[in-house]
Amino acid sequence: MASILREVTETILTLAKGFRVTFRNMLGKTVTENYPETPVTFQPRYRGIHVLQRDEQGLEKCVGCFLCAAACPANCIYIEAAENTDAARISAGERYAKVYNIDYSRCIFCGYCVEACPTDAITHGHGFELATYDINSLLYRKEQLLQPEPHKKPTNA
Ligand code: SF4
Ligand code: SF4
């Protein structure tokens, strides 16, 4: 008899615990985003589509060192580096990334590339609208990732 009473008590307590969570969420503030009708709220550290940054002079911060590509566990960064010249200076370092591709069909948004970059050239933005029927369009090129020059309008939101 004692064990039946204990079981009944435990069951009631468990149900009460469960319903407490249910009612707390039912009566609490909704966190559902009405996307795309209203803009999505991002946390500051959200890891979205990468952005290749520029410095204060508008030069590209990437110096073509390949450290991000080496750190990438999904092997989805492809870089071709080239030398800066006095006539055509692209970055403040000796080299710059002539080609910088990220394959978003492979990227797992782990952030290792961002952590590995010695010049803070690559960061995560808040872009997230990557869905597509064409896998080839998930290969993002430098032109899509690069922060626009101050006087130019962005090509990629
Ligand atoms: S976020 Fe991770 S998987 Fe994506 S490019 Fe960077 S290192 Fe590679
Ligand atoms: S993004 Fe950073 S780590 Fe990657 S090649 Fe450029 S400077 Fe090096």
Side-chain angles (χ1 to χ4, degrees), residues 1 7 9 11 19 42 54 58-59 67-68 71 99 103-104 106 108-109 116 121 125 128 133-134 145 149 151:
M1 185 67 183
E7 262 185 49
T9 312
T11 305
F19 277 117
F42 291 100
R54 292 180 183 275
L59 293 171
L67 286 176
C68 52
V99 176
D103 184 352
Y104 282 107
R106 305 178 63 139
I108 53 172
F109 295 90
F128 69 98
Y133 288 110
D134 176 14
L145 301 168
E149 287 181 66
H151 60 279

PDB file of all heavy atoms in Angstrom, residues 1 7 9 11 19 42 54 58-59 67-68 71 99 103-104 106 108-109 116 121 125 128 133-134 145 149 151:
ATOM      1  N   MET A   1       0.828  -1.220   0.000  1.00  0.00           N
ATOM      2  CA  MET A   1       0.000   0.000   0.000  1.00  0.00           C
ATOM      3  C   MET A   1       0.863   1.273   0.000  1.00  0.00           C
ATOM      4  O   MET A   1       0.604   2.201  -0.745  1.00  0.00           O
ATOM      5  CB  MET A   1      -0.911  -0.039   1.247  1.00  0.00           C
ATOM      6  CG  MET A   1      -1.897   1.115   1.311  1.00  0.00           C
ATOM      7  SD  MET A   1      -3.123   1.040   0.010  1.00  0.00           S
ATOM      8  CE  MET A   1      -4.013   2.517   0.290  1.00  0.00           C
ATOM      9  N   GLU A   7       4.110   5.837  -5.374  1.00  0.00           N
ATOM     10  CA  GLU A   7       4.066   5.933  -6.843  1.00  0.00           C
ATOM     11  C   GLU A   7       3.076   7.003  -7.304  1.00  0.00           C
ATOM     12  O   GLU A   7       3.361   7.797  -8.207  1.00  0.00           O
ATOM     13  CB  GLU A   7       3.652   4.578  -7.440  1.00  0.00           C
ATOM     14  CG  GLU A   7       4.836   3.776  -7.912  1.00  0.00           C
ATOM     15  CD  GLU A   7       4.418   2.493  -8.617  1.00  0.00           C
ATOM     16  OE1 GLU A   7       3.549   2.574  -9.509  1.00  0.00           O
ATOM     17  OE2 GLU A   7       4.934   1.445  -8.248  1.00  0.00           O
ATOM     18  N   THR A   9       2.052   9.599  -5.588  1.00  0.00           N
ATOM     19  CA  THR A   9       2.593  10.922  -5.243  1.00  0.00           C
ATOM     20  C   THR A   9       3.657  11.354  -6.253  1.00  0.00           C
ATOM     21  O   THR A   9       3.655  12.489  -6.741  1.00  0.00           O
ATOM     22  CB  THR A   9       3.217  10.885  -3.831  1.00  0.00           C
ATOM     23  OG1 THR A   9       2.304  10.262  -2.952  1.00  0.00           O
ATOM     24  CG2 THR A   9       3.559  12.271  -3.340  1.00  0.00           C
ATOM     25  N   THR A  11       3.991  10.359  -9.321  1.00  0.00           N
ATOM     26  CA  THR A  11       3.361  10.643 -10.619  1.00  0.00           C
ATOM     27  C   THR A  11       2.740  12.037 -10.624  1.00  0.00           C
ATOM     28  O   THR A  11       2.911  12.813 -11.578  1.00  0.00           O
ATOM     29  CB  THR A  11       2.272   9.589 -10.920  1.00  0.00           C
ATOM     30  OG1 THR A  11       2.861   8.301 -10.833  1.00  0.00           O
ATOM     31  CG2 THR A  11       1.677   9.790 -12.292  1.00  0.00           C
ATOM     32  N   PHE A  19       3.570  20.207 -16.285  1.00  0.00           N
ATOM     33  CA  PHE A  19       2.573  21.238 -16.613  1.00  0.00           C
ATOM     34  C   PHE A  19       3.062  22.637 -16.239  1.00  0.00           C
ATOM     35  O   PHE A  19       2.667  23.620 -16.854  1.00  0.00           O
ATOM     36  CB  PHE A  19       1.236  20.924 -15.930  1.00  0.00           C
ATOM     37  CG  PHE A  19       0.420  19.929 -16.718  1.00  0.00           C
ATOM     38  CD1 PHE A  19       0.099  18.688 -16.200  1.00  0.00           C
ATOM     39  CD2 PHE A  19      -0.018  20.249 -18.004  1.00  0.00           C
ATOM     40  CE1 PHE A  19      -0.634  17.773 -16.942  1.00  0.00           C
ATOM     41  CE2 PHE A  19      -0.763  19.333 -18.746  1.00  0.00           C
ATOM     42  CZ  PHE A  19      -1.075  18.089 -18.220  1.00  0.00           C
ATOM     43  N   PHE A  42      18.846  39.071 -34.501  1.00  0.00           N
ATOM     44  CA  PHE A  42      20.030  38.228 -34.335  1.00  0.00           C
ATOM     45  C   PHE A  42      20.741  38.539 -33.029  1.00  0.00           C
ATOM     46  O   PHE A  42      20.768  39.699 -32.598  1.00  0.00           O
ATOM     47  CB  PHE A  42      21.029  38.470 -35.473  1.00  0.00           C
ATOM     48  CG  PHE A  42      20.554  37.966 -36.791  1.00  0.00           C
ATOM     49  CD1 PHE A  42      20.002  38.828 -37.713  1.00  0.00           C
ATOM     50  CD2 PHE A  42      20.647  36.626 -37.104  1.00  0.00           C
ATOM     51  CE1 PHE A  42      19.557  38.371 -38.932  1.00  0.00           C
ATOM     52  CE2 PHE A  42      20.202  36.154 -38.322  1.00  0.00           C
ATOM     53  CZ  PHE A  42      19.653  37.032 -39.236  1.00  0.00           C
ATOM     54  N   ARG A  54      37.446  45.323 -44.614  1.00  0.00           N
ATOM     55  CA  ARG A  54      38.423  46.321 -45.070  1.00  0.00           C
ATOM     56  C   ARG A  54      38.945  47.101 -43.861  1.00  0.00           C
ATOM     57  O   ARG A  54      38.273  47.169 -42.832  1.00  0.00           O
ATOM     58  CB  ARG A  54      37.761  47.317 -46.026  1.00  0.00           C
ATOM     59  CG  ARG A  54      37.340  46.726 -47.343  1.00  0.00           C
ATOM     60  CD  ARG A  54      36.709  47.785 -48.219  1.00  0.00           C
ATOM     61  NE  ARG A  54      36.225  47.231 -49.450  1.00  0.00           N
ATOM     62  CZ  ARG A  54      36.966  47.041 -50.529  1.00  0.00           C
ATOM     63  NH1 ARG A  54      38.244  47.391 -50.518  1.00  0.00           N
ATOM     64  NH2 ARG A  54      36.461  46.524 -51.629  1.00  0.00           N
ATOM     65  N   GLY A  58      40.281  51.556 -46.389  1.00  0.00           N
ATOM     66  CA  GLY A  58      39.506  50.917 -47.454  1.00  0.00           C
ATOM     67  C   GLY A  58      40.241  49.755 -48.104  1.00  0.00           C
ATOM     68  O   GLY A  58      39.732  49.140 -49.046  1.00  0.00           O
ATOM     69  N   LEU A  59      41.488  49.454 -47.608  1.00  0.00           N
ATOM     70  CA  LEU A  59      42.222  48.319 -48.171  1.00  0.00           C
ATOM     71  C   LEU A  59      41.668  47.019 -47.601  1.00  0.00           C
ATOM     72  O   LEU A  59      41.136  47.002 -46.476  1.00  0.00           O
ATOM     73  CB  LEU A  59      43.712  48.425 -47.813  1.00  0.00           C
ATOM     74  CG  LEU A  59      44.476  49.583 -48.438  1.00  0.00           C
ATOM     75  CD1 LEU A  59      45.867  49.685 -47.834  1.00  0.00           C
ATOM     76  CD2 LEU A  59      44.568  49.405 -49.955  1.00  0.00           C
ATOM     77  N   LEU A  67      45.758  30.864 -43.562  1.00  0.00           N
ATOM     78  CA  LEU A  67      45.543  30.251 -42.239  1.00  0.00           C
ATOM     79  C   LEU A  67      44.085  29.833 -42.042  1.00  0.00           C
ATOM     80  O   LEU A  67      43.798  28.824 -41.409  1.00  0.00           O
ATOM     81  CB  LEU A  67      45.970  31.221 -41.128  1.00  0.00           C
ATOM     82  CG  LEU A  67      47.480  31.379 -40.953  1.00  0.00           C
ATOM     83  CD1 LEU A  67      47.784  32.426 -39.895  1.00  0.00           C
ATOM     84  CD2 LEU A  67      48.126  30.052 -40.574  1.00  0.00           C
ATOM     85  N   CYS A  68      43.163  30.626 -42.593  1.00  0.00           N
ATOM     86  CA  CYS A  68      41.737  30.268 -42.452  1.00  0.00           C
ATOM     87  C   CYS A  68      41.447  28.966 -43.192  1.00  0.00           C
ATOM     88  O   CYS A  68      40.743  28.089 -42.675  1.00  0.00           O
ATOM     89  CB  CYS A  68      40.856  31.389 -42.980  1.00  0.00           C
ATOM     90  SG  CYS A  68      41.293  31.907 -44.646  1.00  0.00           S
ATOM     91  N   ALA A  71      42.699  26.070 -41.266  1.00  0.00           N
ATOM     92  CA  ALA A  71      41.925  25.770 -40.048  1.00  0.00           C
ATOM     93  C   ALA A  71      40.555  25.186 -40.363  1.00  0.00           C
ATOM     94  O   ALA A  71      39.914  24.611 -39.477  1.00  0.00           O
ATOM     95  CB  ALA A  71      41.745  27.052 -39.232  1.00  0.00           C
ATOM     96  N   VAL A  99      41.782  35.465 -55.304  1.00  0.00           N
ATOM     97  CA  VAL A  99      40.558  34.655 -55.332  1.00  0.00           C
ATOM     98  C   VAL A  99      40.270  34.222 -53.908  1.00  0.00           C
ATOM     99  O   VAL A  99      41.190  33.810 -53.184  1.00  0.00           O
ATOM    100  CB  VAL A  99      40.740  33.398 -56.218  1.00  0.00           C
ATOM    101  CG1 VAL A  99      39.504  32.509 -56.172  1.00  0.00           C
ATOM    102  CG2 VAL A  99      41.075  33.796 -57.643  1.00  0.00           C
ATOM    103  N   ASP A 103      32.685  27.648 -50.081  1.00  0.00           N
ATOM    104  CA  ASP A 103      31.636  26.758 -50.579  1.00  0.00           C
ATOM    105  C   ASP A 103      30.640  26.507 -49.444  1.00  0.00           C
ATOM    106  O   ASP A 103      30.904  25.737 -48.519  1.00  0.00           O
ATOM    107  CB  ASP A 103      32.273  25.440 -51.052  1.00  0.00           C
ATOM    108  CG  ASP A 103      31.244  24.505 -51.662  1.00  0.00           C
ATOM    109  OD1 ASP A 103      30.036  24.808 -51.574  1.00  0.00           O
ATOM    110  OD2 ASP A 103      31.660  23.467 -52.214  1.00  0.00           O
ATOM    111  N   TYR A 104      29.481  27.176 -49.520  1.00  0.00           N
ATOM    112  CA  TYR A 104      28.494  27.055 -48.440  1.00  0.00           C
ATOM    113  C   TYR A 104      27.705  25.751 -48.487  1.00  0.00           C
ATOM    114  O   TYR A 104      26.880  25.514 -47.620  1.00  0.00           O
ATOM    115  CB  TYR A 104      27.564  28.268 -48.435  1.00  0.00           C
ATOM    116  CG  TYR A 104      28.247  29.465 -47.806  1.00  0.00           C
ATOM    117  CD1 TYR A 104      28.672  30.520 -48.580  1.00  0.00           C
ATOM    118  CD2 TYR A 104      28.498  29.488 -46.440  1.00  0.00           C
ATOM    119  CE1 TYR A 104      29.337  31.590 -48.007  1.00  0.00           C
ATOM    120  CE2 TYR A 104      29.160  30.547 -45.858  1.00  0.00           C
ATOM    121  CZ  TYR A 104      29.569  31.594 -46.649  1.00  0.00           C
ATOM    122  OH  TYR A 104      30.240  32.647 -46.076  1.00  0.00           O
ATOM    123  N   ARG A 106      29.326  23.172 -48.034  1.00  0.00           N
ATOM    124  CA  ARG A 106      30.151  22.398 -47.112  1.00  0.00           C
ATOM    125  C   ARG A 106      30.343  23.088 -45.763  1.00  0.00           C
ATOM    126  O   ARG A 106      30.617  22.424 -44.766  1.00  0.00           O
ATOM    127  CB  ARG A 106      31.536  22.148 -47.733  1.00  0.00           C
ATOM    128  CG  ARG A 106      31.468  21.501 -49.078  1.00  0.00           C
ATOM    129  CD  ARG A 106      32.848  21.323 -49.649  1.00  0.00           C
ATOM    130  NE  ARG A 106      33.623  20.438 -48.808  1.00  0.00           N
ATOM    131  CZ  ARG A 106      34.438  19.499 -49.257  1.00  0.00           C
ATOM    132  NH1 ARG A 106      34.576  19.327 -50.538  1.00  0.00           N
ATOM    133  NH2 ARG A 106      35.115  18.748 -48.437  1.00  0.00           N
ATOM    134  N   ILE A 108      30.164  24.566 -42.206  1.00  0.00           N
ATOM    135  CA  ILE A 108      29.348  24.189 -41.037  1.00  0.00           C
ATOM    136  C   ILE A 108      29.275  25.353 -40.036  1.00  0.00           C
ATOM    137  O   ILE A 108      28.842  25.176 -38.900  1.00  0.00           O
ATOM    138  CB  ILE A 108      29.908  22.926 -40.357  1.00  0.00           C
ATOM    139  CG1 ILE A 108      31.397  23.099 -40.024  1.00  0.00           C
ATOM    140  CG2 ILE A 108      29.679  21.698 -41.226  1.00  0.00           C
ATOM    141  CD1 ILE A 108      31.981  21.974 -39.187  1.00  0.00           C
ATOM    142  N   PHE A 109      29.736  26.521 -40.446  1.00  0.00           N
ATOM    143  CA  PHE A 109      29.637  27.739 -39.627  1.00  0.00           C
ATOM    144  C   PHE A 109      30.257  27.543 -38.232  1.00  0.00           C
ATOM    145  O   PHE A 109      29.695  27.990 -37.234  1.00  0.00           O
ATOM    146  CB  PHE A 109      28.183  28.219 -39.530  1.00  0.00           C
ATOM    147  CG  PHE A 109      27.638  28.644 -40.862  1.00  0.00           C
ATOM    148  CD1 PHE A 109      27.002  27.736 -41.693  1.00  0.00           C
ATOM    149  CD2 PHE A 109      27.810  29.941 -41.312  1.00  0.00           C
ATOM    150  CE1 PHE A 109      26.534  28.114 -42.945  1.00  0.00           C
ATOM    151  CE2 PHE A 109      27.340  30.334 -42.564  1.00  0.00           C
ATOM    152  CZ  PHE A 109      26.695  29.414 -43.374  1.00  0.00           C
ATOM    153  N   ALA A 116      41.134  31.782 -36.677  1.00  0.00           N
ATOM    154  CA  ALA A 116      42.504  31.585 -37.172  1.00  0.00           C
ATOM    155  C   ALA A 116      43.079  32.828 -37.836  1.00  0.00           C
ATOM    156  O   ALA A 116      44.293  32.977 -37.932  1.00  0.00           O
ATOM    157  CB  ALA A 116      42.521  30.425 -38.173  1.00  0.00           C
ATOM    158  N   ALA A 121      40.438  39.665 -40.838  1.00  0.00           N
ATOM    159  CA  ALA A 121      39.921  39.953 -42.175  1.00  0.00           C
ATOM    160  C   ALA A 121      38.598  39.254 -42.433  1.00  0.00           C
ATOM    161  O   ALA A 121      37.754  39.771 -43.150  1.00  0.00           O
ATOM    162  CB  ALA A 121      40.942  39.518 -43.226  1.00  0.00           C
ATOM    163  N   GLY A 125      29.038  37.499 -40.720  1.00  0.00           N
ATOM    164  CA  GLY A 125      27.984  38.500 -40.768  1.00  0.00           C
ATOM    165  C   GLY A 125      26.683  37.882 -40.273  1.00  0.00           C
ATOM    166  O   GLY A 125      26.693  36.805 -39.653  1.00  0.00           O
ATOM    167  N   PHE A 128      21.836  35.031 -43.771  1.00  0.00           N
ATOM    168  CA  PHE A 128      21.465  33.625 -43.559  1.00  0.00           C
ATOM    169  C   PHE A 128      20.618  33.058 -44.695  1.00  0.00           C
ATOM    170  O   PHE A 128      20.356  31.860 -44.729  1.00  0.00           O
ATOM    171  CB  PHE A 128      20.686  33.481 -42.245  1.00  0.00           C
ATOM    172  CG  PHE A 128      19.318  34.118 -42.290  1.00  0.00           C
ATOM    173  CD1 PHE A 128      18.194  33.348 -42.539  1.00  0.00           C
ATOM    174  CD2 PHE A 128      19.169  35.488 -42.115  1.00  0.00           C
ATOM    175  CE1 PHE A 128      16.941  33.939 -42.599  1.00  0.00           C
ATOM    176  CE2 PHE A 128      17.919  36.077 -42.168  1.00  0.00           C
ATOM    177  CZ  PHE A 128      16.799  35.304 -42.415  1.00  0.00           C
ATOM    178  N   TYR A 133      17.924  26.126 -54.992  1.00  0.00           N
ATOM    179  CA  TYR A 133      17.737  24.848 -55.701  1.00  0.00           C
ATOM    180  C   TYR A 133      18.981  24.490 -56.504  1.00  0.00           C
ATOM    181  O   TYR A 133      19.066  23.407 -57.048  1.00  0.00           O
ATOM    182  CB  TYR A 133      16.533  24.941 -56.637  1.00  0.00           C
ATOM    183  CG  TYR A 133      15.213  24.949 -55.900  1.00  0.00           C
ATOM    184  CD1 TYR A 133      14.435  26.101 -55.853  1.00  0.00           C
ATOM    185  CD2 TYR A 133      14.747  23.802 -55.257  1.00  0.00           C
ATOM    186  CE1 TYR A 133      13.225  26.114 -55.181  1.00  0.00           C
ATOM    187  CE2 TYR A 133      13.552  23.806 -54.575  1.00  0.00           C
ATOM    188  CZ  TYR A 133      12.788  24.967 -54.540  1.00  0.00           C
ATOM    189  OH  TYR A 133      11.594  24.982 -53.859  1.00  0.00           O
ATOM    190  N   ASP A 134      19.914  25.448 -56.599  1.00  0.00           N
ATOM    191  CA  ASP A 134      21.107  25.234 -57.425  1.00  0.00           C
ATOM    192  C   ASP A 134      22.341  25.219 -56.528  1.00  0.00           C
ATOM    193  O   ASP A 134      22.762  26.263 -56.028  1.00  0.00           O
ATOM    194  CB  ASP A 134      21.199  26.372 -58.458  1.00  0.00           C
ATOM    195  CG  ASP A 134      22.456  26.275 -59.296  1.00  0.00           C
ATOM    196  OD1 ASP A 134      23.105  25.203 -59.271  1.00  0.00           O
ATOM    197  OD2 ASP A 134      22.804  27.273 -59.949  1.00  0.00           O
ATOM    198  N   LEU A 145      31.583  38.350 -50.871  1.00  0.00           N
ATOM    199  CA  LEU A 145      31.902  38.340 -49.440  1.00  0.00           C
ATOM    200  C   LEU A 145      32.536  39.644 -48.965  1.00  0.00           C
ATOM    201  O   LEU A 145      32.464  39.980 -47.781  1.00  0.00           O
ATOM    202  CB  LEU A 145      32.869  37.176 -49.131  1.00  0.00           C
ATOM    203  CG  LEU A 145      32.376  35.776 -49.488  1.00  0.00           C
ATOM    204  CD1 LEU A 145      33.520  34.777 -49.407  1.00  0.00           C
ATOM    205  CD2 LEU A 145      31.245  35.353 -48.559  1.00  0.00           C
ATOM    206  N   GLU A 149      33.340  48.949 -50.683  1.00  0.00           N
ATOM    207  CA  GLU A 149      34.122  50.157 -50.418  1.00  0.00           C
ATOM    208  C   GLU A 149      33.168  51.220 -49.878  1.00  0.00           C
ATOM    209  O   GLU A 149      31.994  51.238 -50.262  1.00  0.00           O
ATOM    210  CB  GLU A 149      34.785  50.632 -51.708  1.00  0.00           C
ATOM    211  CG  GLU A 149      35.931  49.722 -52.114  1.00  0.00           C
ATOM    212  CD  GLU A 149      36.599  50.188 -53.374  1.00  0.00           C
ATOM    213  OE1 GLU A 149      37.208  51.270 -53.338  1.00  0.00           O
ATOM    214  OE2 GLU A 149      36.502  49.495 -54.382  1.00  0.00           O
ATOM    215  N   HIS A 151      32.307  54.149 -50.479  1.00  0.00           N
ATOM    216  CA  HIS A 151      31.466  54.946 -51.382  1.00  0.00           C
ATOM    217  C   HIS A 151      30.572  54.098 -52.264  1.00  0.00           C
ATOM    218  O   HIS A 151      29.758  54.623 -53.006  1.00  0.00           O
ATOM    219  CB  HIS A 151      32.336  55.847 -52.264  1.00  0.00           C
ATOM    220  CG  HIS A 151      33.301  55.077 -53.109  1.00  0.00           C
ATOM    221  ND1 HIS A 151      34.498  54.598 -52.627  1.00  0.00           N
ATOM    222  CD2 HIS A 151      33.228  54.678 -54.401  1.00  0.00           C
ATOM    223  CE1 HIS A 151      35.141  53.954 -53.593  1.00  0.00           C
ATOM    224  NE2 HIS A 151      34.393  53.988 -54.657  1.00  0.00           N
TER     225      HIS A 151
END
